[in-house]
Amino acid sequence: MRLDVILRVSAKLMIPFIMLFAIYVQFHGHYSPGGGFQAGVIAAAAVILYAIVFGMREAQRVVPPGVVEAMVPLGVVIYAGTGVLNMISGGHYLDYDFLLADPVQGQYWGVFVVEVGVLVTVAGAMVTIFYAFAMRGRS
Amino acid sequence: MDLLESYPLLQTIAERYNTWAVILLMVSGLYIVVAKSNMIKTLIGMALFQTSVYLLYLSPGKIIGATPPITDTAFAVYSNPLPHVLILTAIVVGVATLAMGLALIVRINEAYGSIEEDEVVDLVDRQDKAEE
Amino acid sequence: MDSTTLIWLTLAIPTLGAVGIWLADRFPNLREAVTLVTAVLLWGTVCHLLARVLRGERPGTEPIEIFGGIELALAIEPLGMLFATVASTLWIVNSIYSIGYMRGNNEPRQTPFYVCFAVALMSAMGVAFSENLFTLFLFYEILTLSTYPLVAHKGNEDARRNAGIYLVLLLVTSMGFLLPAIIWTAVASGTTSFADGGILASAGLSAGAATALMALYVFGIGKAAIMPVHFWLPAAMVAPTPVSALLHAVAVVKAGVFAVVKVVVYIFGLDYLQETGASQWAVYLAGFTVIAASLIALTHDNLKKRLAFSTVSQLSYVIMAAMVATPAAIIGATLHIAAHAVSKITLFFAAGSIYTAGHLTMISQLDGIGRRMPFTMGAFAIGALAMIGVPPTVTFLSKWFMLQGNVTADQWYALGVIALSTVLNTLYFLPIVYRAFWRAPPEPSAEHPAHGEGPLPSVIALSITGAGAIALFLYPDIVYRLAEAVAAAAGGTP
Amino acid sequence: MSTPADPQPALMLADQLPALLVVVPMLGAMVASLLRNGALGYLVSLIVSWVSPVIALAMLWQVEASGPISYAMGGWAPPLGIEYRVDEANAFLLVLISIMAALCITFAPRSIASEIPAQSRGWYYAMFLMCLCGLQGMAITGDAFNIFVFMEISSLAMYALIAMGTDRRALVAAYQYLVIGTIGATFYVLGAGLLFTITGTLNLVDMADRLQPLLGTRAALAGLAFISVGIGLKLALFPLHLWLPNAYAFAPSVATAFLASTATKVAVYILVRFVYSVYGVEVAEAHEIDTAIVLLLAVLAMVAPSIVAIFQANVKRMLAYSSVAQIGYIILGVFLLNEAGLTGGLSHLFNHAIIKGCLFLAVGCIVFSTGITKIDQMAGLGHTMPLTMGAFVLAGLGLIGVPGTAGFVSKWYLIQGATEAGLWWLVAAIVFASVLAVFYVGRVVEVAWFREPSPEAAAPRPVPVEMLAVTWILAALCIYFGFETDISAGVPAEAARILIGGGADG
């Protein structure tokens, strides 16, 4: 056990709130500045903080590299998939009017899903970049 | 303010302070790219150069006293959102480029044992010569 | 069969022949049979067309548009007919000769050799029957490319270097000068088709521009070997003798002078040339080439080199006659294309036969060889007399018309050149004949053992062409009628 | 922009083609990187890269039949939203890119397997598709900023592709390309930013309209200058080409073939778009000196790299220098500012893509069979690998511009353009550069066919049938487009007529 108790305890306190803030920024992106990109970066920051404080091995046990690497393309698939769904229902690419029967609902849910895609990709990309650099030369 | 009013040229210069910031950043960034041999520093210069362009886009979009462009009866003046969206994209591109560049530098360091461009290029030339 | 099909056949037969030769790679006898059959079929097709052209027809194919008004089209006019007839006839003779030569010398890579030969003949046909400048250029370049491997055939350092010179010089001149000339012509006159009386008269070029254009053509058609773009021809002599014989005495070089004459007759037209005088400088340059090449020939002891420079000189006869731009001179030029082809191929056949039989390449080694190789040297003597222009050889006729053309146009310079070069020709050919027949042969040594005649196919071939050089003097009717038709198409006043 | 009040008619598949052309490769890339497996990644890219040409050809057909296609991204009508706009010029380019991608991918699997370690192959295919997505996006979009985004997507993918080369010099090449490429892209976005500031729009058609009264302003001209330099870096215009030779020389064979035949071509297209559509040809005509400088650079680009190419020991680097020279031809055609010249430039863009693609793929076959990269080692290859070298020779003839090959057609137009412009020294330069090509192509041919096989070349392992087939398809196309020029010269001629005549409405 190393002598960084303060760091560990405060990190344990902060990380849930950072995650929560990420989710807030994500969902509130409809009404105020924010959205998937910012939320993704914040969420990634939480993981990176965890890795810095508790070590790479611990962090990779919680958030395995395979998962984050898969998140990068997965988010884009969610994003682009929504666009393709619109096209299938007869709209332009990413024209959410056609996503659901009611265009207003379509816009709402369309943007929501797309932003989730952005969150997944950005968080995944940020953590992947961190892992890639931090693990270089160790394995 | 009196000083500015009595010298119109000075006023013209001062009014465009954002442009001066852009120019300063741009030129220093470009200089670093050209002059520095250390690859990390080159990338920093490159990032600086890109940042100056972000400012070039963003600063004219800000209107003092305006709000985000969300329609509401209480406000009439909105900032132009387009530059923000564009530059958000550009920042992402910049991050990706930086990550790519750094990754390459790590690999170059592993392959050549140096991140000084002069030394690396020297080794490359030597390998070229050895082949001929 | 209609004429269009026949014209396409002249391209298709050698192409298919090339494929057939390639497929028969493992069976030399079959391969040679394919070569001969192809040559005979081609000759037959060309003769068919010849009969029709002599009846006054001008058959052609439908043009195929390539891009922006540029068409691939074939059409037969008398000059092309003459060239095609000469090339296809001599191909048969040359194929017989090649068999003897290639087997006699155990040459490697014989299949690619025959394949390239067939492709070269195909492109010679294409050049002959081209309806416009683009088609001419297309086949002209294929001819260059297909003969490059033939020149590099031996594969040693010397052959590679000389083949490099050959390829680069011909490609450089054609791309550097001929292509811009063609595009200039197309832009100026709106067409690239050959037409009786020329197409440039109405293009509105100034006399200076016409002169420059003529210069682009004369230097661009490097195969015509006017100085200073002649040195590919001596370089090409590293090739096996059948190549030198058919290609560098007939197909390639004649494609060059043929193209020059064709440009003079069907692009510029004699009227236009007489009016602008755009070709007068070329008369001087060609005259200089005739004399200079003859003088250089005198200094060469290597038999093939001497023949090569003699070819350079004789080609410039044709160019000079064409540039004089009178109908009689055009007849002379046209006749000389055929006359020189038959005579020079005989000389090359003889040189190759000497090489196969005794491995001799130098003139100084030929003492008394006429006694060992009477047929070969007899044919050589006929060829030599033809180079000089002594009757009863066919070149007498062509020189006659050239002289006539020069006199009517008051071209005393050209007249003088022909007279002087006749003297020079005598000086560099007759000593060989004298040496061969009247000097005593050296004692056989280990280096040069006693030998007899060359291989039978070679002797047959050179006897045929030697006889041909005399026969054409006695029966020039067909060739003359074609030449007359060319002159009629050229326009111009005597 | 749509509201509930104005319901739009539902779109058919045929209307969705412009979006699909970009979305399909992008999704393909994501699927490939999710799978992370060489074989599956290959399967995905094979499907995607053969769907793209179908889409592109369908669009070319639509454009020929009924004029330009406009596609509003997200239903936001131009000029507010991002518009995908397809006309003769870029439909033609899209066909080229997608076909080259399809052929390269078909060629790829065994070449990749021999050059790239197993764990990276899935990523390789993902990057390839991302690059394809970026290039097609650049070509199809009608939005100045979107061009930048796609430019960077394709460039980032390219850096990764180049860095995957087997030699460690590939890393340095990728790094140098990254720095220069980023500077280029940033210059471009700077220029676009200036235009955006003065016109208030990013839509190219709209920008062209609004720019008309502002053409004389310094900001407009500075914008053009920044864009030209930025694109000049991307397309390796002499003397901004220094990144290119090493990048092409050390990238994996298939990547080199694909990049050489498409990447610089798209950059040329962007330049043409700005010079002819956004600014209009009059601007270039008015600034004679600047145009003359570009022409001079183009001539230097044709001549100097050709001379350098003659002395290269590495065959891939030789071809890379030749690429720089051929870009000179294209730029020359573009800046002759007449129809014949522009036709020649665009047509050479197409023909050179095919020729260089064939040459690099032939080299790919040679590397696969023998590992040879140096010209000296290629001695005797003509006899031990006759089919591969045969294709190399045919494409080499096209590079020289021998009549009956694709290269001849475009050079004819270029010379015609120079003749019509009365610039005789340009005719001489074009001809001289072609002559230089004789030397560097001839050198390989001579070594390969007329020398005794070197030890490396003596016993090559057989070339897989798909590699030979693709190489020969391209070699056959080099000849085919020398005779049948409806696509390779007809469409460019039409595009040139529109670009010169009608501004952005093309």
Side-chain angles (χ1 to χ4, degrees):
Chain A
M1 188 48 96
R2 302 205 312 260
L3 298 173
D4 46 5
V5 180
I6 298 175
L7 208 54
R8 282 162 181 266
V9 172
S10 50
K12 273 184 181 171
L13 270 176
M14 281 165 69
I15 286 169
F17 288 104
I18 295 175
M19 281 303 217
L20 198 62
F21 184 60
I23 293 167
Y24 168 79
V25 170
Q26 169 77 20
F27 289 104
H28 218 258
H30 272 32
Y31 309 105
S32 70
F37 184 74
Q38 292 87 330
V41 175
I42 295 168
V47 177
I48 293 169
L49 178 65
Y50 187 81
I52 290 172
V53 175
F54 295 94
M56 290 303 289
R57 191 183 300 165
E58 191 67 12
Q60 295 200 338
R61 193 177 57 77
V62 181
V63 188
V67 171
V68 283
E69 273 175 32
M71 276 167 72
V72 181
L74 193 67
V76 181
V77 170
I78 295 173
Y79 189 119
T82 317
V84 173
L85 271 183
N86 293 321
M87 292 163 81
I88 291 170
S89 38
H92 283 101
Y93 182 69
L94 291 179
D95 184 351
Y96 314 115
D97 284 1
F98 290 81
L99 198 56
L100 298 173
D102 176 12
V104 177
Q105 286 292 309
Q107 285 281 350
Y108 183 88
W109 285 105
V111 173
F112 178 80
V113 175
V114 161
E115 287 292 332
V116 169
V118 175
L119 169 88
V120 172
T121 293
V122 172
M126 283 305 173
V127 177
T128 306
I129 292 172
F130 174 74
Y131 278 176
F133 282 104
M135 291 303 289
R136 192 75 197 170
R138 291 199 202 183
S139 50
Chain B
M1 289 312 278
D2 295 341
L3 183 71
L4 288 184
E5 274 160 19
S6 43
Y7 294 97
L9 180 66
L10 208 57
Q11 191 179 0
T12 322
I13 292 173
E15 268 174 3
R16 289 168 173 71
Y17 66 92
N18 55 342
T19 318
W20 293 109
V22 169
I23 292 172
L24 188 72
L25 282 174
M26 188 183 293
V27 174
S28 33
L30 209 51
Y31 172 77
I32 295 171
V33 172
V34 176
K36 292 293 168 186
S37 168
N38 186 307
M39 291 181 180
I40 302 247
K41 287 182 184 166
T42 309
L43 282 195
I44 292 171
M46 203 179 78
L48 210 57
F49 182 53
Q50 287 177 308
T51 311
S52 73
V53 180
Y54 306 160
L55 278 182
L56 180 83
Y57 271 77
L58 284 176
S59 53
K62 171 69 184 168
I63 300 168
I64 294 167
T67 65
I70 294 172
T71 323
D72 192 301
T73 46
F75 306 103
V77 185
Y78 304 116
S79 283
N80 185 352
L82 196 54
H84 294 80
V85 181
L86 299 181
I87 293 314
L88 185 62
T89 318
I91 289 171
V92 177
V93 169
V95 168
T97 313
L98 205 57
M100 183 79 211
L102 289 169
L104 283 172
I105 293 175
V106 169
R107 291 281 307 276
I108 288 173
N109 191 34
E110 288 169 3
Y112 289 88
S114 169
I115 58 164
E116 291 294 323
E117 205 175 350
D118 296 348
E119 294 171 13
V120 173
V121 168
D122 207 41
L123 289 170
V124 168
D125 287 347
R126 230 177 276 169
Q127 200 175 345
D128 282 349
K129 288 247 167 53
E131 272 185 10
E132 282 169 17
Chain C
M1 236 186 294
D2 66 343
S3 302
T4 310
T5 319
L6 285 176
I7 296 175
W8 285 122
L9 273 181
T10 58
L11 297 185
I13 290 172
T15 313
L16 292 176
V19 175
I21 294 164
W22 185 56
L23 290 177
D25 181 24
R26 304 252 178 88
F27 315 99
N29 289 335
L30 180 62
R31 181 185 66 202
E32 263 77 301
V34 172
T35 309
L36 279 176
V37 168
T38 310
V40 171
L41 280 177
L42 178 66
W43 183 73
T45 316
V46 170
C47 284
H48 247 85
L49 286 166
L50 176 65
R52 292 180 194 196
V53 170
L54 286 175
R55 282 204 301 270
E57 288 177 36
R58 291 282 197 98
T61 63
E62 284 293 309
I64 303 166
E65 172 149 359
I66 307 289
F67 58 90
I70 302 307
E71 289 165 343
L72 182 66
L74 299 173
I76 302 185
E77 37 69 49
L79 184 61
M81 195 65 244
L82 177 75
F83 174 49
T85 312
V86 171
S88 63
T89 311
L90 292 179
W91 189 27
I92 302 178
V93 185
N94 191 71
S95 300
I96 299 170
Y97 180 83
S98 299
I99 297 167
Y101 182 91
M102 297 301 277
R103 294 192 174 184
N105 287 313
N106 285 323
E107 292 276 345
R109 297 188 285 278
Q110 296 197 13
T111 305
F113 176 86
Y114 287 111
V115 170
C116 288
F117 229 111
V119 175
L121 255 293
M122 183 276 288
S123 36
M125 292 299 126
V127 169
F129 294 152
S130 54
E131 191 270 338
N132 55 40
L133 284 167
F134 167 74
T135 315
L136 179 95
F137 187 59
L138 171 69
F139 287 106
Y140 182 95
E141 294 293 49
I142 299 177
L143 186 56
T144 306
L145 295 169
S146 60
T147 47
Y148 166 70
L150 294 172
V151 177
H153 180 81
K154 275 187 187 147
N156 56 22
E157 188 60 40
D158 190 38
R160 283 206 303 269
R161 196 170 45 79
N162 281 304
I165 295 173
Y166 175 84
L167 183 71
V168 166
L169 191 80
L170 287 181
L171 278 183
V172 165
T173 52
S174 63
M175 289 200 167
F177 306 124
L178 183 55
L179 180 60
I182 292 173
I183 295 178
W184 192 0
T185 309
V187 171
S189 67
T191 175
T192 59
S193 292
F194 297 113
D196 288 3
I199 58 173
L200 279 172
S202 55
L205 291 177
S206 68
T211 310
L213 184 56
M214 179 57 96
L216 285 177
Y217 275 117
V218 169
F219 293 120
I221 303 170
K223 292 196 168 95
I226 199 166
M227 281 182 180
V229 290
H230 68 285
F231 50 87
W232 62 270
L233 187 53
M237 291 301 137
V238 296
T241 305
V243 176
S244 306
L246 186 60
L247 299 177
H248 302 114
V250 182
V252 174
V253 291
K254 289 302 178 299
V257 287
F258 161 77
V260 170
V261 177
K262 201 158 177 171
V263 164
V264 165
V265 172
Y266 298 104
I267 295 294
F268 284 86
L270 296 191
D271 289 318
Y272 184 61
L273 283 180
Q274 286 171 354
E275 190 185 312
T276 56
S279 61
Q280 190 55 43
W281 66 273
V283 174
Y284 298 130
L285 183 63
F288 169 78
T289 306
V290 170
I291 302 299
S294 301
L295 288 172
I296 297 172
L298 267 176
T299 66
H300 275 288
D301 189 34
N302 181 311
L303 183 56
K304 276 178 79 179
K305 280 275 162 62
R306 186 174 286 194
L307 290 179
F309 277 101
S310 158
T311 306
V312 173
S313 152
Q314 297 282 335
L315 292 174
S316 276
Y317 271 49
V318 180
I319 301 175
M320 189 167 71
M323 295 300 165
V324 164
T326 60
I330 292 291
I331 293 179
T334 313
L335 286 178
H336 202 65
I337 289 179
H340 176 249
V342 181
S343 327
K344 191 46 79 54
I345 201 172
T346 310
L347 291 172
F348 272 111
F349 280 170
S353 187
I354 294 166
Y355 175 73
T356 316
H359 287 277
L360 303 174
T361 54
M362 295 298 167
I363 293 164
S364 50
Q365 298 168 327
L366 298 184
D367 286 354
I369 197 161
R371 301 181 199 173
R372 288 176 176 165
M373 308 178 70
F375 286 98
T376 302
M377 290 319 290
F380 187 93
I382 294 173
L385 291 177
M387 285 300 114
I388 301 162
V390 181
T393 58
V394 60
T395 43
F396 175 74
L397 294 177
S398 51
K399 279 198 177 175
W400 175 275
F401 280 101
M402 286 187 209
L403 290 171
Q404 188 188 332
N406 295 342
V407 171
T408 49
D410 288 337
Q411 294 274 9
W412 302 111
Y413 167 81
L415 196 71
V417 165
I418 293 180
L420 179 57
S421 88
T422 304
V423 174
L424 288 170
N425 285 343
T426 317
L427 283 179
Y428 66 79
F429 272 121
L430 279 191
I432 306 175
V433 178
Y434 171 80
R435 194 185 273 274
F437 284 105
W438 279 279
R439 286 225 187 144
E443 288 304 308
S445 63
E447 214 175 319
H448 295 292
H451 57 86
E453 270 290 1
L456 184 63
S458 303
V459 175
I460 293 173
L462 58 89
S463 308
I464 292 173
T465 54
I470 293 173
L472 271 182
F473 173 79
L474 301 173
Y475 306 101
D477 181 50
I478 292 174
V479 181
Y480 181 71
R481 273 164 65 191
L482 288 172
E484 228 178 14
V486 176
T493 46
Chain D
M1 199 185 325
S2 59
T3 61
D6 59 319
Q8 302 159 328
L11 297 173
M12 298 291 110
L13 181 64
D15 304 316
Q16 302 280 19
L17 294 178
L20 282 177
L21 196 60
V22 176
V23 172
V24 168
M26 182 164 73
L27 276 175
M30 293 309 135
V31 172
S33 54
L34 273 176
L35 294 170
R36 268 189 274 168
N37 172 301
L40 292 174
Y42 170 66
L43 201 65
V44 170
S45 14
L46 192 67
I47 295 166
V48 167
S49 61
W50 278 105
V51 167
S52 294
V54 174
I55 299 175
L57 281 168
M59 286 199 306
L60 180 63
W61 180 74
Q62 273 186 19
V63 170
E64 296 273 359
S66 53
I69 306 169
S70 169
Y71 184 87
M73 265 290 145
W76 295 73
L80 269 179
I82 292 172
E83 181 194 16
Y84 280 13
R85 193 177 174 81
V86 188
D87 61 17
E88 290 267 351
N90 57 357
F92 166 70
L93 186 68
L94 288 165
V95 169
L96 173 71
I97 300 170
S98 53
I99 286 181
M100 287 311 299
L103 290 175
C104 285
I105 280 292
T106 312
F107 177 94
R110 280 187 252 196
S111 173
I112 294 299
S114 73
E115 290 180 24
I116 291 177
Q119 77 271 14
S120 305
R121 281 176 214 155
W123 294 116
Y124 180 90
Y125 289 112
M127 286 301 123
F128 190 95
L129 289 179
M130 217 55 225
C131 186
L132 175 64
C133 163
L135 292 173
Q136 291 186 338
M138 266 170 94
I140 202 172
T141 187
D143 182 281
F145 197 83
N146 212 221
I147 290 177
F148 165 74
V149 174
F150 279 121
M151 189 192 287
E152 285 304 77
I153 289 178
S154 64
S155 300
L156 284 165
M158 274 180 228
Y159 309 145
L161 287 175
I162 293 167
M164 284 188 198
T166 42
D167 195 295
R168 66 175 182 167
R169 282 171 290 182
L171 297 168
V172 184
Y175 167 79
Q176 286 172 334
Y177 183 21
L178 179 132
V179 173
I180 293 178
T182 308
I183 300 287
T186 313
F187 265 123
Y188 167 80
V189 83
L190 193 59
L194 285 173
L195 287 180
F196 174 56
T197 316
I198 59 171
T199 62
T201 182
L202 286 167
N203 184 288
L204 293 180
V205 179
D206 195 30
M207 193 186 272
D209 284 345
R210 298 202 196 185
L211 202 57
Q212 281 311 311
L214 302 168
L215 280 179
T217 60
R218 261 186 217 156
L221 293 178
L224 183 59
F226 276 122
I227 289 172
S228 306
V229 173
I231 302 287
L233 280 164
K234 283 278 178 190
L235 60 76
L237 176 60
F238 185 89
L240 308 174
H241 67 282
L242 295 172
W243 59 269
L244 189 143
N246 275 347
Y248 283 10
F250 300 119
S253 307
V254 179
T256 307
F258 182 61
L259 297 189
S261 50
T262 55
T264 48
K265 310 294 181 287
V266 182
V268 172
Y269 160 77
I270 301 293
L271 190 62
V272 170
R273 252 309 165 225
F274 272 94
V275 170
Y276 282 94
S277 297
V278 176
Y279 282 83
V281 68
E282 296 80 13
V283 176
E285 278 168 359
H287 293 82
E288 283 173 8
I289 298 174
D290 305 69
T291 310
I293 290 173
V294 177
L295 285 179
L296 188 68
L297 286 180
V299 168
L300 285 175
M302 280 156 33
V303 175
S306 299
I307 294 173
V308 177
I310 296 173
F311 298 102
Q312 291 304 309
N314 181 317
V315 63
K316 278 174 89 176
R317 208 181 326 206
M318 180 201 92
L319 292 174
Y321 275 107
S322 149
S323 278
V324 179
Q326 303 296 320
I327 290 162
Y329 283 102
I330 298 171
I331 294 296
L332 178 86
V334 170
F335 280 89
L336 279 172
L337 307 179
N338 59 31
E339 262 187 59
L342 187 55
T343 305
L346 293 178
S347 146
H348 199 60
L349 185 152
F350 184 90
N351 292 334
H352 175 242
I354 290 183
I355 292 166
K356 219 19 107 40
C358 179
L359 286 170
F360 274 121
L361 288 182
V363 172
C365 292
I366 294 168
V367 171
F368 175 85
S369 302
T370 62
I372 289 174
T373 54
K374 282 164 63 185
I375 294 176
D376 288 347
Q377 297 169 329
M378 291 171 74
L381 268 190
H383 301 291
T384 51
M385 299 177 68
L387 285 174
T388 307
M389 284 313 293
F392 189 99
V393 170
L394 280 183
L397 293 178
L399 200 59
I400 297 169
V402 173
T405 62
F408 176 76
V409 177
S410 34
K411 280 185 185 167
W412 177 288
Y413 275 108
L414 287 176
I415 295 180
Q416 193 186 336
T419 313
E420 281 173 12
L423 299 168
W424 291 101
W425 61 281
L426 286 183
V427 177
I430 295 170
V431 161
F432 180 63
S434 306
V435 167
L436 292 173
V438 176
F439 283 95
Y440 58 74
V441 172
R443 190 168 146 232
V444 175
V445 172
E446 193 247 330
V447 168
W449 293 90
F450 297 106
R451 293 202 183 171
E452 291 310 310
S454 63
E456 297 91 340
R461 66 171 157 154
V463 183
V465 63
E466 78 276 3
M467 291 168 74
L468 262 187
V470 170
T471 314
W472 265 96
I473 286 172
L474 285 171
L477 285 179
C478 292
I479 303 297
Y480 176 78
F481 286 123
F483 291 102
E484 172 53 57
T485 60
D486 278 354
I487 294 178
S488 71
V491 180
E494 181 63 16
R497 200 181 54 72
I498 294 169
L499 283 168
I500 288 190
D505 278 333

